[in-house]
DNA sequence: CTGAAAGCGCTTACAG
DNA sequence: CTGAAAGCGCTTACAG
């Protein structure tokens, strides 16, 4: 049997309450007594029983908040699935999860939802933050009120966060570059369609892509990078333009959203193109099956949602901090045969 | 707050003990009373508190067994890491895990270890079974004694198992075929080095590979399949022979173990070859980085070990059965850029 | 500063 | 067939 608080209490000649206070560094224990208890616990290699802790916690359950700015798109639906799975698991540990979903990137909306969650008395918040001063300020205020904050999928700088859970954008770009090299035998004229040069993640991807090509595939050439603002209509037009401008274009890297528009333009054009995309949406699955998209690189959306909640839970419930702030989900290469019906 | 046994007891006008007996279908509850209780629980959508259940279980903790025939090889070390991680997690739920590691494929050894574990009073067993009649019989006897059995990494037929956790070999072969097609532009003369035609998994891989090529890449040609018995020395020799025999060989698929020998033979040969392997051992990582191996397909060994224990735990502790018996881990495509230093 | 007691939700040996 | 009570390990309001 594992060591319990009761055994420590007996050995130290004190009550279990006192042991609990000492072990959890609560106030009101005479210094020498606390030290004695801590030493005994150390000697016995005491590990608190997580289950008992959780059960005791049920007397005054705490609440954690989630604020996700998904606009009902497929990608974020999977993130939400991960969050809901974690919610289910932590509920039996006496922890509530209050989820707020917002559309778009309206700063004021995000701020007011943060306040709403705070009013609910949350002890922790998982958020896809908008990169905005006012949001950053609001998050720092939460931290000052002892509310633990973690970001997921998107990140901002300048806040005290427990963790970020999401994609390593730079690496995902490197993988895209390496894979493009492998699939084209290192000889290709590549057109790139990105979301926005104002998005940090998108830029990191491009840099990773370029770096992988420079390092490993000198025979590859990047013709031009065009922006589609993650918008399918714009994506269609600028991709069409790109194809018109470069008759030699033989490969297409769609580095962000607007995949539908870009791929459709390529299909209309008709020439044989090696197409590489990100994420595994239903549209991408379909085009993988048709052999139009050669491969896609997925960032594990389910896992992003699931992990950020578990990390916050472990922090608030057990005082555990993750080993590193940056918690990257895998960049998974998916081809047609990887799909399960 | 969630519904508790106490509330149900009050509503049904009985004690909590009786509610517990009825809900868990224990004997000794009058039929009408049991039905009343079950109905109330249903109406209230009662979900037992997993944590409380686990804590109560600590009074007479149960033991589960693991029997893994790893021979200290790198692949199985990762499986073991997953098992140990799960072990840590379930220990605070009052569940012990007794792990036995054996080398090679000695049936008698495996049988005697099964008996050893049974003598420890295990309630469940996770095993990498040898495909042998005596083993199958022994496992069926365990099941008859109410010991839940699950297989992982390797499977056998003819046993009553809770689940199998491991690779979908057929699919991993399909992915290999599809990826080989993408990397060679659909034009390649492929040599295949497999482990043993006596291993079900290896054969399934070959079939998957062939099927993907037939379906998608008519321009690809399989020259010959050679066996290396997962042995590096033999692997070196038969790969050398294969290369000598087919000067046109331009791609190599190493479908099982003995990767080191096969790749070395290809390096000595010196011609440009697209090499595809399975699993992510340190050697494979090195050769990916050097650009010698183009890609490898990993079967998530950590996850195999972790999941099989969690599945057994959920079964024994909460009576949950997994949705399907076959629980496949992902077949993950890894290229040089996927590696983290 | 410390202890005794009650409680989290479920289970079980004991008594009737 | 059923209930009252004790217990799993940790926490906390209350009393002193």
């Amino acid at each position: 049997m594992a060591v319990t608080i009761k055994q420590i209490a007996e050995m130290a000649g004190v009550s279990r309450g006192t042991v609990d206070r000492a072990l959890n560094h609560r106030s009101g224990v005479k210094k020498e007594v606390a030290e004695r208890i801590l030493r005994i616990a150390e000697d016995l290699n005491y590990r608190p029983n997580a289950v008992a802790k959780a059960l005791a916690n049920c007397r005054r359950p705490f609440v954690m908040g989630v604020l996700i700015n998904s606009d009902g798109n497929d990608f974020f639906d999977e993130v939400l699935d991960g969050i809901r799975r974690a919610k289910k698991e932590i509920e039996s540990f006496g922890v509530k999860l209050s989820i707020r979903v917002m559309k778009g990137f309206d700063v004021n909306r995000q701020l007011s939802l943060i306040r709403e969650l705070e009013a609910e008395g949350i002890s922790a918040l998982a958020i896809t933050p908008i990169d905005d001063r006012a949001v950053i300020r609001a998050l720092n205020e939460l931290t000052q009120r002892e509310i633990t904050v973690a970001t997921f999928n998107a990140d901002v700088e300048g806040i005290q966060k427990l963790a970020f859970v999401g994609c390593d954008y730079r690496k995902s770009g490197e993988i895209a570059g390496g894979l493009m090299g492998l699939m084209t035998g290192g000889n290709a004229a590549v057109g790139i369609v990105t979301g926005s040069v104002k998005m940090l993640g998108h830029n990191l991807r491009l840099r990773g892509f370029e770096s992988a090509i420079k390092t490993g595939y000198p025979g590859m050439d990047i013709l031009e990078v065009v922006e589609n603002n993650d918008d399918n209509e714009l994506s269609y037009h600028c991709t069409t333009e790109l194809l018109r401008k470069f008759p030699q274009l033989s490969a297409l890297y769609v580095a962000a959203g607007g995949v539908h528009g870009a791929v459709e333009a390529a299909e209309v054009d008709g020439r044989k193109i090696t197409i590489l995309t990100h994420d595994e949406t239903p549209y991408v699955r379909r085009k993988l099956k048709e052999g139009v998209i050669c491969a896609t690189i997925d960032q594990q959306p389910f896992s992003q949602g699931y992990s950020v909640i578990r990390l916050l839970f472990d922090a608030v419930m057990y005082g555990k901090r993750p080993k590193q702030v940056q918690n990257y989900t895998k960049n998974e290469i998916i081809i047609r045969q990887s799909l399960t019906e």
Side-chain angles (χ1 to χ4, degrees), chain A residues 75 167-169 171-180 183 205 209 253-255 276-281 284 288 293-301 330-335:
Chain A
F75 177 84
C167 179
D168 182 341
Y169 284 98
K171 183 161 259 314
S172 67
E174 287 174 10
I175 293 174
L179 189 58
M180 190 65 103
M183 292 192 306
R205 275 207 182 132
F209 188 85
Y253 173 39
V254 188
L276 186 54
T277 64
H278 282 281
D279 297 337
E280 192 195 320
T281 58
V284 168
L288 278 170
I293 295 176
C294 295
T296 196
I297 298 167
D298 186 56
Q299 58 175 306
Q300 319 269 60
K330 275 191 180 168
N331 284 298
E332 197 189 0
I333 299 171
I334 312 276
I335 64 174

Side-chain angles (χ1 to χ4, degrees), chain A residues 211-227:
Chain A
S211 137
I213 281 178
K214 282 230 178 72
T215 315
Y217 300 99
M220 285 175 72
D221 195 23
I222 297 178
L223 300 169
E224 191 167 307
V225 178
V226 297
E227 267 180 274

Side-chain angles (χ1 to χ4, degrees), chain A residues 62-66 83 86-87 90-91 95-99 309:
Chain A
F62 58 84
V63 188
M64 310 201 304
V66 173
I83 290 171
K87 177 183 160 93
I90 64 176
E91 265 168 2
V95 177
K96 304 268 167 209
L97 198 61
S98 187
I99 303 176
I309 302 304

Side-chain angles (χ1 to χ4, degrees), chain A residues 74-92:
Chain A
D74 298 316
F75 177 84
F76 275 108
D77 282 350
E78 273 200 65
V79 181
L80 263 176
D81 284 346
I83 290 171
R84 293 205 190 95
R85 165 69 167 278
K87 177 183 160 93
K88 250 188 162 179
E89 289 185 13
I90 64 176
E91 265 168 2
S92 58

Side-chain angles (χ1 to χ4, degrees), chain A residues 27-274:
Chain A
S27 59
V29 185
K30 212 201 288 177
K31 211 177 162 192
E32 302 99 74
V33 178
E35 277 166 7
R36 181 152 43 97
I37 291 170
L38 286 170
R39 192 136 37 80
I40 295 176
E42 174 92 7
D43 289 349
L44 268 53
N45 191 29
Y46 170 74
R47 297 279 165 259
N49 182 311
V51 161
K53 212 158 182 159
L55 189 59
N57 181 259
C58 287
R59 271 212 277 187
R60 30 168 222 128
F62 58 84
V63 188
M64 310 201 304
V66 173
L67 180 39
I68 180 170
N69 60 343
S70 70
D71 37 12
N73 81 26
D74 298 316
F75 177 84
F76 275 108
D77 282 350
E78 273 200 65
V79 181
L80 263 176
D81 284 346
I83 290 171
R84 293 205 190 95
R85 165 69 167 278
K87 177 183 160 93
K88 250 188 162 179
E89 289 185 13
I90 64 176
E91 265 168 2
S92 58
F93 288 74
V95 177
K96 304 268 167 209
L97 198 61
S98 187
I99 303 176
R100 292 282 188 291
V101 180
M102 63 176 277
K103 296 198 180 205
F105 295 85
D106 180 343
V107 170
N108 286 324
R109 181 92 185 108
Q110 185 157 72
L111 290 172
S112 83
L113 286 173
I114 291 175
R115 270 181 238 113
E116 233 179 88
L117 284 168
E118 200 187 348
E120 285 186 22
I122 55 172
S123 314
L125 175 68
I127 185 171
T128 50
I130 299 172
D131 195 351
D132 177 276
R133 278 204 180 169
V135 171
I136 291 170
R137 202 180 318 123
L139 293 179
N140 277 325
E141 279 166 20
L142 291 187
T143 307
Q144 263 160 23
R145 283 174 212 136
E146 311 270 274
I147 297 172
T148 309
V149 173
T151 54
F152 65 108
N153 184 263
D155 199 14
V156 291
E157 289 178 351
I159 60 169
Q160 298 276 330
K161 61 189 165 239
L162 175 78
F164 162 72
V165 180
C167 179
D168 182 341
Y169 284 98
R170 160 101 197 180
K171 183 161 259 314
S172 67
E174 287 174 10
I175 293 174
L179 189 58
M180 190 65 103
L182 286 171
M183 292 192 306
T184 59
N187 276 304
V190 189
I192 299 183
V193 183
T194 190
S196 166
V197 295
K198 288 179 207 133
M199 302 284 279
L200 179 62
H202 298 178
N203 288 335
L204 288 174
R205 275 207 182 132
L206 294 194
R207 270 184 245 154
F209 188 85
E210 282 163 19
S211 137
I213 281 178
K214 282 230 178 72
T215 315
Y217 300 99
M220 285 175 72
D221 195 23
I222 297 178
L223 300 169
E224 191 167 307
V225 178
V226 297
E227 267 180 274
N228 69 7
N229 283 327
D230 283 359
D231 176 81
N232 277 314
E233 206 163 326
L234 185 53
S235 189
Y236 181 85
H237 289 299
C238 65
T239 308
T240 303
E241 182 57 25
L242 187 70
L243 289 162
R244 199 196 50 69
K245 189 168 167 191
F246 298 102
Q248 77 273 36
L249 186 150
S250 63
L252 194 63
Y253 173 39
V254 188
V259 173
H260 198 318
V263 170
E264 204 162 295
E267 284 196 279
V268 168
D269 178 89
R271 85 185 80 158
K272 187 161 167 25
I273 301 176
T274 302

